[in-house]
Amino acid sequence: LLTLPASVRIYVAAEPVDLRNGFDGLAVATRRIIRENPLSGHLFVYTNRRANRLKILLWEPSGYLLVYKRLERGRFHLPRAPRPGARHVEMESTELALMMEGIDLRGAKRREKWIPGENVLARSTRM
């Protein structure tokens, strides 16, 4: 799909959105649902009620970019439920790529993230 720098975050709305909305309607949804600035350069992902279509909104220096995907079979699934009170899920680009292929990641086992400079001994005491 897209090669994204590590600084780009990906937000997926946990509730369906009317995908007849274009650039401006999804920008409003970004402020209302995800509570982020649509001009931030992050990716904002929305699905329809049947979860077989999604749109990704991205601001570039020259204007908005809109990606639209329709699954011919199956549904898009969030990789995990949103935190209590949250209306969106944040994910990694690899998760988004798999989600866009219709792969359900809800049962996937994730390894603990490696953080550069983190002391291995300190991490082993937390477990």
Side-chain angles (χ1 to χ4, degrees), residues 14-20 46-54 75-76:
E15 60 190 66
V17 171
D18 184 353
L19 292 187
R20 292 176 293 182
Y46 300 94
T47 60
N48 63 343
R49 189 170 309 282
R50 292 185 355 202
N52 67 337
R53 298 170 191 233
L54 67 71
R75 301 173 52 138
F76 295 110

Side-chain angles (χ1 to χ4, degrees), residues 51-52 69-76 100-103:
N52 67 337
K69 169 96 182 209
R70 177 182 72 189
L71 283 179
E72 294 301 325
R73 290 191 181 133
R75 301 173 52 138
F76 295 110
M100 288 183 69
E101 289 301 318
I103 297 172

Side-chain angles (χ1 to χ4, degrees), residues 34-97:
I34 299 177
R35 295 193 174 111
E36 288 288 332
N37 180 359
L39 304 176
S40 65
H42 300 307
L43 270 69
F44 303 98
V45 182
Y46 300 94
T47 60
N48 63 343
R49 189 170 309 282
R50 292 185 355 202
N52 67 337
R53 298 170 191 233
L54 67 71
K55 281 188 177 180
I56 301 172
L57 181 68
L58 168 65
W59 173 259
E60 295 182 326
S62 58
Y64 280 118
L65 170 68
L66 194 59
V67 177
Y68 192 18
K69 169 96 182 209
R70 177 182 72 189
L71 283 179
E72 294 301 325
R73 290 191 181 133
R75 301 173 52 138
F76 295 110
H77 298 279
L78 292 175
R80 62 192 150 281
R83 293 183 319 273
R87 297 173 69 189
H88 70 275
V89 171
E90 191 170 344
M91 66 173 56
E92 297 176 10
S93 60
T94 52
E95 292 174 313
L96 177 60

Side-chain angles (χ1 to χ4, degrees), residues 118-126:
E118 185 176 283
N119 187 343
V120 176
L121 181 59
R123 189 171 24 147
S124 65
T125 59
R126 287 188 303 201

